[in-house]
Amino acid sequence: PPPPPPPPPPPHHAWWAAQYSHHPLGMPPPPTAYNNPYEQPKEEVPAASAPSPTAKAASRTARSDPVEASAAMASEGLAVIAAVNASLEPPNPLTLWGNRENMNLESKLYAHILNTQYYKDIKNNMHTAEQVLEEIDKLIQSLNAYWFGKCSQPKEGFALNKNPSTVFCLLYRLFELRPHRGHLEGMLAHHNPYMRGAALIFLRYCTEPKELWGHFEAVMDDDTEVNITKERSCTLAEFARELLLEFKCLDTMLPRLPVLVVRDAQKRMAEMELPGDKEKDWDRER
């Protein structure tokens, strides 16, 4: 009889298994879907890093008009910087009034502050409003604009060899750091009376005159004693009234307030039955 026909060839997968049956690790892992480098999935460019329409327009016009292209890119860069600066603004900025460089200080006092070594030290070492406020809470024990040196003696109400006080150096540094309303509200509510007094001085120099009463009203009945100098003390309420009604205070000249603002403060003090400077002729002062 004729020999039997040869068996059919094994299927491909059986052949693949037979080839690796002797391998110590068994069958290799199945091939991945992207073994071919040319078949790798393309990375999607995120929208944030995609070129903006302005950049695309600038690149199209770069060959024809390089000046126009660079101007378009510069305008886009300025817009980005403005957006970043807007995001860094304090949540509730304090509205400043008057001179934004010298804090409306008397010129002589301003020059003394800039030249004192203490101000130079805190300018180099204090870079946040919180650091300045901590220093005020820790150091301040009087509120005058000047302090007398060891060899200085008061003469006829004025001081010889005046040096700017610590509180005014710190307040000017705080002014440079541009505090927001939350800082001043925290100062006015602070348990330390000298922190509250420092807040009144800062507001008297830097705030819009028509907004002063809204800040000062809370301390008009504060009977806590504070030292203005080593020889003179008063309550915070008396200190607040003096800041509102006088333009010469703390051995320096305060920025003048509009007459209508002073009269309004006098009227409100009368309604609260507080003593005020009712006899002053503000029409003549104007």
Side-chain angles (χ1 to χ4, degrees), residues 12 34 38 41 47-48 53 72 75 77 80 94-95 136 145 164 166 172 183 201 243:
H12 180 72
Y34 300 107
Y38 297 99
S75 64
V80 172
L94 185 70
T95 304
I136 292 175
T166 303
Y172 181 69
H183 289 129
I201 297 173
L243 288 175

Side-chain angles (χ1 to χ4, degrees), residues 57-79:
S59 63
R60 285 196 301 268
T61 57
R63 294 183 179 178
S64 59
D65 193 349
V67 176
E68 183 181 350
S70 57
M73 293 299 292
S75 64
E76 183 184 16
L78 292 175

Side-chain angles (χ1 to χ4, degrees), residues 138-266:
K138 183 173 62 175
L139 294 184
I140 300 309
Q141 296 180 353
S142 63
L143 298 173
N144 204 47
Y146 295 95
W147 63 275
F148 301 114
K150 292 182 179 179
C151 298
S152 303
Q153 296 294 331
K155 181 179 180 182
E156 297 178 359
F158 295 93
L160 300 176
N161 300 326
K162 288 181 177 179
N163 294 309
S165 65
T166 303
V167 64
F168 268 74
C169 292
L170 288 168
L171 287 178
Y172 181 69
R173 181 57 185 153
L174 182 66
F175 170 79
E176 289 182 316
L177 296 171
R178 297 297 190 264
H180 54 78
R181 289 183 183 272
H183 289 129
L184 273 299
E185 291 172 0
M187 292 175 71
L188 288 172
H190 203 275
H191 64 88
N192 187 343
Y194 291 99
M195 182 74 80
R196 303 199 295 273
L200 295 176
I201 297 173
F202 186 91
L203 291 167
R204 176 63 175 83
Y205 274 98
C206 304
T207 311
E208 284 277 354
K210 61 183 179 181
E211 298 180 4
L212 279 176
W213 180 258
H215 298 291
F216 277 56
E217 185 178 9
V219 298
M220 283 299 170
D221 57 352
D222 193 335
D223 57 356
T224 308
E225 289 276 340
V226 290
N227 292 324
I228 306 301
T229 64
K230 291 183 179 180
E231 294 81 16
R232 180 196 167 204
S233 63
C234 65
T235 65
L236 272 176
E238 293 170 346
F239 182 58
R241 292 195 289 271
E242 186 175 352
L243 288 175
L244 281 177
L245 301 177
E246 300 292 339
F247 63 90
K248 185 173 182 181
C249 180
L250 305 174
D251 284 333
T252 186
M253 302 293 290
L254 301 179
R256 286 182 177 269
L257 296 177
V259 174
L260 293 179
V261 171
V262 178
R263 285 180 173 171
D264 182 65
Q266 289 177 322

Side-chain angles (χ1 to χ4, degrees), residues 89-106:
E89 285 291 327
N92 196 1
L94 185 70
T95 304
L96 298 178
W97 170 71
N99 193 312
R100 292 175 177 258
E101 181 181 353
N102 67 2
M103 192 178 135
N104 302 313
L105 292 167
E106 188 181 10

